[in-house]
Amino acid sequence: MLHASPNIASGIEVIDPADIGTPADIAALALFLASDAARFVSGAELVADGGRIGRL
């Protein structure tokens, strides 16, 4: 599970366990990218982490 990863062990204390993303969150991003609403999105790196990188 995500909590067991040593790569995030140093930042785990700032992540609310109730705020862990779900597969549905990633699916929503994938659906957006596959939709006409994303027709002008190209060559972008989208980080789907719920804003965690900015809080670490």
Side-chain angles (χ1 to χ4, degrees):
M1 184 70 191
L2 181 65
H3 295 113
S5 173
N7 295 330
I8 66 160
S10 63
I12 197 68
E13 64 276 1
V14 297
I15 297 173
D16 180 3
D19 193 31
I20 299 294
T22 66
D25 295 322
I26 303 304
L29 177 59
L31 286 173
F32 166 71
L33 291 173
S35 74
D36 287 338
R39 67 183 176 275
F40 286 107
V41 177
S42 68
E45 179 181 333
L46 301 176
V47 180
D49 69 351
R52 286 186 183 87
I53 293 295
R55 293 184 283 190
L56 291 179

